Amino acid sequence: MAKITTLSGNLESDQYIALNAKTKLFDWNQDNFQLDLQAAEAYLANHIIPNLKTFPTTKARFDYLIKNQYYDEELINKYDFSEIEILTNQANSYHHHFASFVGALKFFNAYALKSFDGKEYLETYSERVLMNALFFADGNFKKAQDVLREMMLGRYQPATPTFLNAGKKQRGEYVSCYLLRVEDNMESIARAVSTSLQLSKRGGGVALCLTNLREQGAPIKNIANQATGVIPVMKILEDAFSYANQLGQRQGAGAVYLNIHHPDIMLFLDTKRENADEKIRIKSLSLGIVVPDIAFELAKNNQDMALFSPYDIEKVYGKPMTDISITKEYDNLLKHPEIKKTFISARKLFQTIAELHFESGYPYLLFDDTVNNRNPHPGRIVMSNLCSEIVQVSSLSEYHDDLSFKTIGEDVCCNLGSVNIAKMMESGKEFGQAIAQAIYALDHVSRNSNLVSAPSIVEGNKNNHALGLGAMNLHGFLATNQIFYDSQEAIDFTNIFFYTMAYYAFSASNKLAQEFGTFNGFKNSQFANGGYFDKYIKCQSDKWLPKTEKIAAIFEQYQVEIPTQGQWKILVKKIKTTGLANSHLMAVAPTGSISYLSSCTPSLQPVVAPVETRKEGKLGRVYVPAYKITAENLPYYKSGAYEIGPDAIIDIAAAAQQHVDQAISLTLFFTDKATTRDLNKAYIRAFKKGCSSIYYVRVRQDVLEDSENYDCDACVV
């Protein structure tokens, strides 16, 4: 069986708290950051190991866990037990050490299998990885060895729902989050609420698009001033998510999106006001808004902006408001006499958005035309998810009076995982192989999730097998290679890394298509005619090469092969011939929890501070030193996210976004000196640079930030 490897075992039981706290006190003559490793050792030696159930053999362990309904016997039986023993030995051979105290704390608090009474730990880190490998490989011993290697080397980390649930008998689903359309009828609203409850119970966050709901005061059955608008639906959803307890681990998480041209937009935003009336105040539901290009244009020209009745739009156009481009149809909508419209100042609306960002960090912003102009598939993207990195086409469902389906449309699920940028660069010539294993693992999740409680999600997943491979530890890699986050070299590296990652991701999906066939809509996509790839093959041959000597040298030093235009042309020819297995491949999530688990920096954002302060339950303050921080690389971490400011973060995200076919969860940081004007300038910069969305906006306060502020509230990826 697997064992926890510790470097020392003679530290006092509570010394890990003191050791961790000392990492905050930096002394140039003494590298206190190393004390965090000792804190992890003390925590394991004196808290975990005494409470870890041990077994004489691997066989005895598996027999016990299967007999007592902890492990899935059906999965285990797909392997000869001698293979499981070999895989166990392989996992142990890496001699895994937690690289930080918070990594160990996060694993044993949130991921490790525990006895039903919570008194014993039943898994080590390597044993949890082993169960993930068994799940991903589905009985294929060689594949299990390959995936196990990638995870133990730290190159690939599944999102929390997958990593947590793989191989367990009592579990939630493997999928991170879900996106549901809501149409303008009571059946659709009722079905959305019940589906949200079902999906929350199984461990995913749910986002819902409310744009198509008729506004407050709209007619019902031709009787004027009867509709109550979107707010009551939001209140129902908030109560539903609060009720859904995901195996006791966390409350359900939900978000709602509304188009900025919906007549209820100001009421929608007011629900997050600190002084909002309790009748409308929304406390735990996340808010997102969909912003078409025309809104920015009207604000730029200081013009009033029209809000259009979705009820009237559907009557006139014969389709819901989400299914038309407001930017393209704006003038026609203005002129049409049968479409009711009201007007507000566009600049005042953006001012209100900025004020709310100061108060709550909400709303998320999804740039409507940006994502739809890039969309290689027929249909429209109408919303995003709880962390604003998923952008996929959805289609409406229709229902009978008893809520059964008349027509099953396509809704969206997010199959997420992330590579560690530093570990990927260290993989050198195995870079492409590592990306292929990650795509394979995500594809397996898409084909083996039980989503029957949400037929429209099943339909979308079955037709698309969409994936969201992301990345984390950008700042960690930059700092340990002596590159400042707010530099041209950082932008150059990000661009080339994601360019390279995209090539190998598409190559992997092409190979999967030869095994599983193409996703259903492939023939009607811009992948089939090669148009999506014009940016790589119809350009100057040196366009996607490093622009700085340092980054060129780094890729050469790490022996990571940058794809050539010729390689892209060969790949595109293959894709046009044999297709892609997956409609979407990349999306960069916030990676809050899995970054702490992996002891690395989150997503693509800079660290908040060289040593971050978190609140962790009963322990209180916990200190988190940045990835491999030393006195030597401290200057590259010293300017945290608030000091670096939004411009550099936007520029990094924009560099990656050129190659990411979905979106990037983009959090912006401002000091307490920021004004609403500063926030509006950042929105405009992100929009003009081609970013797809903005997730949270953080304004520094002189208090300890809540620990959850840096996690994805929905997917906890």
Side-chain angles (χ1 to χ4, degrees):
M1 63 169 292
K3 296 180 180 179
I4 295 177
T5 305
T6 58
L7 300 175
S8 58
N10 58 351
L11 295 169
E12 296 177 8
S13 59
D14 291 333
Q15 194 174 352
Y16 62 85
I17 298 173
L19 287 167
N20 173 255
K22 287 179 181 178
T23 62
K24 187 74 172 176
L25 307 172
F26 179 72
D27 182 344
W28 285 102
N29 298 313
Q30 183 179 355
D31 194 352
N32 284 350
F33 301 133
Q34 295 300 313
L35 296 176
D36 188 59
L37 295 176
Q38 294 182 33
E41 294 292 329
Y43 173 70
L44 294 172
N46 297 292
H47 177 68
I48 300 302
I49 292 176
N51 297 297
L52 179 68
K53 187 173 182 63
T54 59
F55 301 89
T57 64
T58 301
K59 184 72 165 63
R61 178 175 180 273
F62 273 85
D63 286 346
Y64 174 86
L65 294 175
I66 291 171
K67 179 182 178 181
N68 289 281
Q69 302 292 299
Y70 288 106
Y71 276 174
D72 180 1
E73 184 176 11
E74 184 178 345
L75 174 64
I76 305 301
N77 287 341
K78 291 182 179 181
Y79 297 86
D80 186 274
F81 199 79
S82 64
E83 295 175 330
I84 291 178
E85 290 180 315
I86 292 170
L87 290 166
T88 300
N89 291 333
Q90 179 187 340
N92 289 341
S93 71
Y94 292 94
H95 303 292
H96 174 265
H97 289 282
F98 286 101
S100 68
F101 168 63
V102 77
L105 186 70
K106 177 65 70 175
F107 175 74
F108 285 103
N109 278 356
Y111 296 98
L113 181 67
K114 301 177 186 70
S115 59
F116 293 131
D117 62 10
K119 293 180 180 179
E120 290 184 303
Y121 298 103
L122 303 177
E123 279 182 334
T124 62
Y125 179 83
S126 60
E127 288 163 346
R128 181 91 301 263
V129 170
L130 170 65
M131 294 309 296
N132 274 257
L134 295 178
F135 164 66
F136 289 133
D138 200 33
N140 184 325
F141 174 59
K142 176 62 169 63
K143 182 60 70 176
Q145 287 182 306
D146 292 341
V147 177
L148 179 69
R149 181 171 183 264
E150 295 303 319
M151 292 181 64
M152 290 304 299
L153 288 173
R155 296 173 183 171
Y156 175 65
Q157 174 60 48
T160 286
T162 306
F163 190 63
L164 173 68
N165 290 309
K168 292 181 180 177
K169 183 72 173 177
Q170 318 294 331
R171 64 170 180 83
E173 266 309 314
Y174 310 116
V175 177
S176 294
C177 50
Y178 309 89
L179 288 73
L180 300 172
R181 284 178 56 133
V182 185
E183 309 306 332
D184 189 34
N185 57 76
M186 198 66 76
E187 292 77 18
S188 182
I189 293 169
R191 190 82 194 208
V193 173
S194 64
T195 301
S196 295
L197 280 168
Q198 291 292 328
L199 293 172
S200 291
K201 182 180 81 170
R202 288 160 174 80
V206 185
L208 303 100
C209 179
L210 304 185
T211 296
N212 294 331
L213 299 187
R214 67 190 72 186
E215 72 279 13
Q216 186 181 67
I220 297 177
K221 295 183 177 179
N222 295 321
I223 302 174
N225 300 314
Q226 296 300 304
T228 54
V230 301
I231 307 302
V233 177
M234 292 165 65
K235 297 291 282 187
I236 293 168
L237 287 168
E238 181 167 59
D239 289 342
F241 285 118
S242 296
Y243 179 74
N245 185 306
Q246 300 168 5
L247 292 179
Q249 296 193 334
R250 57 182 175 172
Q251 293 295 315
V256 287
Y257 279 80
L258 193 72
N259 193 289
I260 203 170
H261 290 272
H262 191 287
D264 287 350
I265 186 64
M266 296 303 290
L267 286 170
F268 180 82
L269 294 173
D270 283 345
T271 62
K272 282 294 182 183
R273 294 279 191 187
E274 290 181 352
N275 60 352
D277 189 295
E278 285 300 315
K279 292 180 181 178
I280 69 163
R281 189 179 180 199
I282 296 295
K283 298 176 183 177
S284 59
L285 200 64
S286 300
L287 304 189
I289 56 175
V290 180
V291 187
D293 286 5
I294 187 66
F296 281 104
E297 184 179 331
L298 294 168
K300 178 182 178 182
N301 297 329
N302 198 18
Q303 294 177 274
D304 282 348
M305 185 177 90
L307 310 178
F308 302 107
S309 166
Y311 175 77
D312 292 340
I313 287 175
E314 186 155 6
K315 282 198 305 181
V316 169
Y317 278 79
K319 62 176 74 172
M321 182 174 177
T322 54
D323 294 350
I324 67 169
S325 167
I326 298 295
T327 296
K328 291 178 181 177
E329 292 296 321
Y330 189 77
D331 290 339
N332 294 330
L333 291 164
L334 274 180
K335 294 172 186 174
H336 204 292
E338 294 180 28
I339 296 177
K340 182 180 178 182
K341 52 200 72 78
T342 53
F343 293 88
I344 60 173
S345 164
R347 286 191 179 178
K348 181 180 178 182
L349 179 55
F350 279 100
Q351 174 79 9
T352 299
I353 292 167
E355 290 170 1
L356 284 173
H357 276 148
F358 273 107
E359 288 187 33
S360 66
Y362 296 106
Y364 311 149
L365 275 64
L366 177 69
F367 301 131
D368 184 8
D369 294 289
T370 300
V371 296
N372 277 294
N373 291 341
R374 265 200 298 255
N375 173 29
H377 305 279
R380 281 187 51 78
I381 296 162
V382 304
M383 62 183 296
S384 186
N385 66 322
L386 285 98
C387 304
S388 76
E389 81 278 6
I390 298 301
V391 288
Q392 297 177 27
V393 171
S394 56
S395 59
L396 65 84
S397 296
E398 297 177 298
Y399 305 93
H400 296 289
D401 290 346
D402 64 356
L403 303 189
S404 62
F405 279 88
K406 187 184 298 182
T407 304
I408 301 179
E410 288 187 11
D411 281 315
V412 176
C413 63
C414 319
N415 305 305
L416 300 174
S418 295
V419 297
N420 182 321
I421 291 172
K423 302 297 185 184
M424 285 299 302
M425 290 300 291
E426 291 168 9
S427 71
K429 294 179 180 179
E430 295 181 349
F431 189 103
Q433 172 189 320
I435 294 295
Q437 294 296 344
I439 292 294
Y440 169 87
L442 286 172
D443 182 80
H444 184 75
V445 172
S446 80
R447 297 178 193 276
N448 290 274
S449 293
N450 181 3
L451 306 172
V452 293
S453 63
S456 59
I457 296 285
V458 172
E459 189 71 10
N461 185 54
K462 178 189 70 177
N463 290 336
N464 296 302
H465 294 293
L467 314 180
L469 180 61
M472 56 187 176
N473 206 19
L474 175 64
H475 197 182
F477 178 80
L478 295 175
T480 52
N481 284 272
Q482 299 187 336
I483 300 170
F484 287 105
Y485 186 93
D486 52 348
S487 68
Q488 285 302 310
E489 286 87 357
I491 295 171
D492 194 21
F493 172 79
T494 304
N495 174 35
I496 300 303
F497 180 88
F498 278 92
Y499 165 79
T500 305
M501 182 174 165
Y503 171 82
Y504 289 114
F506 278 108
S507 179
S509 187
N510 174 245
K511 289 177 182 174
L512 284 171
Q514 296 168 37
E515 180 180 353
F516 295 110
T518 66
F519 69 88
N520 279 6
F522 173 77
K523 290 182 180 179
N524 296 318
S525 73
Q526 291 178 30
F527 298 134
N529 62 26
Y532 178 85
F533 304 104
D534 283 352
K535 59 187 175 184
Y536 299 128
I537 62 177
K538 292 185 178 180
C539 62
Q540 291 184 342
S541 59
D542 63 349
K543 179 178 181 180
W544 302 111
L545 291 175
K547 300 297 185 291
T548 60
E549 290 183 8
K550 182 157 190 173
I551 300 310
I554 279 179
F555 274 85
E556 186 174 343
Q557 171 194 338
Y558 282 96
Q559 297 184 301
V560 173
E561 180 185 0
I562 301 171
T564 64
Q565 189 175 75
Q567 287 175 302
W568 269 107
K569 288 179 178 178
I570 293 170
L571 175 59
V572 171
K573 187 176 180 180
K574 288 180 180 177
I575 289 171
K576 290 165 74 172
T577 303
T578 55
L580 295 170
N582 315 97
S583 63
H584 300 76
L585 289 170
M586 295 170 65
V588 182
T591 75
S593 286
I594 63 172
S595 291
Y596 290 117
L597 174 68
S598 302
S599 304
C600 69
T601 63
S603 191
L604 306 188
Q605 38 183 93
V607 296
V608 175
V611 180
E612 179 190 339
T613 304
R614 285 177 59 87
K615 287 196 305 185
E616 286 287 347
K618 295 178 181 178
L619 284 180
R621 296 191 180 196
V622 171
Y623 300 97
V624 186
Y627 174 77
K628 291 188 177 181
I629 189 170
T630 64
E632 184 180 4
N633 62 41
L634 176 62
Y636 299 91
Y637 283 123
K638 201 165 186 180
S639 293
Y642 293 105
E643 289 72 27
I644 287 172
D647 287 0
I649 300 172
I650 289 168
D651 292 351
I652 288 286
Q657 186 66 77
Q658 298 174 95
H659 313 290
V660 174
D661 59 323
Q662 294 197 70
I664 293 167
S665 188
L666 172 60
T667 298
L668 301 181
F669 296 82
F670 295 84
T671 68
D672 51 9
K673 294 182 174 60
T675 64
T676 54
R677 179 179 173 81
D678 295 324
L679 269 64
N680 274 293
K681 286 170 66 177
Y683 309 153
I684 294 167
R685 185 184 186 92
F687 167 67
K688 287 185 174 180
K689 288 275 186 176
C691 295
S692 294
S693 62
I694 294 174
Y695 180 37
Y696 277 120
V697 172
R698 300 291 187 203
V699 181
R700 181 165 56 193
Q701 306 293 333
D702 292 328
V703 295
L704 178 66
E705 298 268 9
D706 185 270
S707 63
E708 290 303 308
N709 280 357
Y710 303 105
D711 286 353
C712 170
D713 295 333
C715 341
V716 193
V717 295

